[in-house]
Amino acid sequence: MVSLSSPETGEPSPEAFGRPQPAPQVAFGQYPPARRTLLHLSDTHLLAANRALGGRFDTAANLNRTLEAAEATGIRPDAIIFTGDLTDLGEPDAYLALREAVEPVAARLGAPIVWVAGNHDERTALRRDLLGLEPTEEPVTGVWDLGGLRVIALDSTVPGWHHGDLDAAQLAWLGEILATPAPLGTVLAMHHPPLPSHVPLFDILELRDQGRLAAVIAGTDVRAILAGHLHYSTSGMFAGVPVSVAAATCYTMDLARPAAEVNGMDAGQSFHLVHVYDETITHAVVPVVDAQTGDYFSAEWVERMSRLTPEERLEEFSRKRP
Ligand SMILES: [Fe+2]
Ligand SMILES: [Fe+2]
């Protein structure tokens, strides 16, 4: 088992990743600003030479569009997490293309990238061409310390198959890490979600023997599980832990159909903004769309509100006016 971890040495400053200090966040409500922020993307499915996926989806263009949208948020995330199916066929050139697309964005944002393996990936090529590691069939796992928030990447893939599983060795490794809590808790990132799906095809490709994972995380500091694989956003609870599935950047499942007839469409791509608070973690779905918006709210508006007392703000913005 190889760990891609950075040493867990306590709280790094934002400068540790060479990024600018984010603008001070305002808190108009009862919650202090989020402690950590993550970008959660999934299922990029790149192909070598940018061949069209299924003859119809331009996965590179759709990834770039999603990255532009993520960057347009102005957020300086603590990590960018990709929950698997990074390439469609595990081709070396597809991993290189992925690096070329994502690494400059991560450098500009000053954020580490967490790559998670999916069933469409191949461990040897992923290790060699994306991570610069020995090309072995060992599970691709890692641990990151994001200033006290621990992120653990699991490898739920089964070489030669599309369904998911976690073998005893990986679960034992996970259990050993979780034996020591992290200051801000732990987020697991894995490809196959430990959730049911109403779409029949995904039951065949599910994570098997989920009870074994439940037993390992029960009573630990795991606060969220990030996953992909389904190509649609969904959420649920697993062993008392919220699970958040990000849709894909390449194509998404058109759920506005009978479950047996759900197929992919070149629309509905999105990514998730994950905000880690002391009391909870939120997962906002951000659609990647070209649409006109209003222009009422602005930095100036927030600045004006920040100069008011809480009572004045309520009068100004909450009071219903006839
Ligand atoms: Fe996928
Ligand atoms: Fe998948």
Side-chain angles (χ1 to χ4, degrees), residues 43 85 119 191 229:
D43 291 79
D85 283 358
N119 52 293
H191 183 64
H229 189 50

Side-chain angles (χ1 to χ4, degrees), residues 7-216:
E8 300 199 9
T9 53
E11 182 115 2
S13 66
E15 289 80 5
F17 294 120
R19 63 185 181 198
Q21 287 276 11
Q25 298 181 65
V26 293
F28 292 154
Q30 59 199 285
Y31 292 97
R35 295 271 202 165
R36 300 289 176 269
T37 310
L38 310 171
L39 293 178
H40 176 196
L41 295 78
S42 203
D43 291 79
T44 47
H45 281 261
L46 291 195
L47 282 159
N50 194 28
R51 304 191 309 284
L53 178 60
R56 63 175 76 206
F57 305 116
D58 187 339
T59 59
N62 289 347
L63 169 61
N64 288 331
R65 224 170 136 231
T66 306
L67 292 171
E68 284 171 16
E71 216 171 342
T73 64
I75 287 172
R76 295 288 175 265
D78 294 280
I80 308 173
I81 301 177
F82 289 81
T83 44
D85 283 358
L86 308 172
T87 66
D88 194 59
L89 296 171
E91 300 162 300
D93 283 351
Y95 288 111
L96 295 178
L98 187 61
R99 291 181 70 162
E100 284 178 16
V102 176
E103 287 182 346
V105 177
R108 284 196 294 276
L109 297 178
I113 308 168
V114 176
W115 299 115
V116 177
N119 52 293
H120 279 266
D121 290 301
E122 294 294 335
R123 288 176 177 174
T124 52
L126 194 164
R127 286 178 165 281
R128 184 186 55 226
D129 301 301
L130 189 64
L131 305 177
L133 298 174
E134 282 294 302
T136 72
E137 284 282 4
E138 284 292 295
V140 180
T141 59
V143 184
W144 287 259
D145 174 7
L146 307 177
L149 177 69
R150 181 166 54 194
V151 172
I152 302 176
L154 299 177
D155 188 339
S156 60
T157 70
V158 182
W161 299 85
H162 282 298
H163 66 262
D165 206 348
L166 293 166
D167 64 22
Q170 192 173 161
L171 288 170
W173 171 82
L174 175 63
E176 283 173 25
I177 296 171
L178 294 177
T180 306
L184 297 180
T186 295
V187 171
L188 299 183
M190 57 196 293
H191 183 64
H192 298 80
L195 288 179
S197 169
H198 75 289
V199 180
L201 74 95
F202 286 117
D203 283 348
I204 303 171
L205 307 183
E206 71 178 359
L207 180 73
R208 294 194 161 188
D209 290 330
Q210 294 176 16
R212 293 157 60 229
L213 175 63
V216 172

Side-chain angles (χ1 to χ4, degrees), residues 226-298:
L226 310 185
H229 189 50
L230 303 181
H231 292 224
Y232 63 88
S233 296
T234 188
S235 60
M237 297 289 284
F238 174 74
V241 176
V243 181
S244 173
V245 179
T249 70
C250 61
Y251 70 85
T252 75
M253 288 304 201
D254 182 3
L255 295 187
R257 298 162 65 103
E261 296 172 18
V262 165
N263 278 278
M265 62 177 175
D266 196 6
Q269 288 89 348
S270 63
F271 65 96
H272 288 190
L273 282 179
V274 183
H275 284 93
V276 179
Y277 299 88
D278 284 336
E279 303 296 329
T280 190
I281 297 178
T282 59
H283 306 262
V285 181
V286 185
V288 179
V289 292
D290 294 315
Q292 286 201 325
T293 66
D295 57 5
Y296 183 81
F297 300 105
S298 65

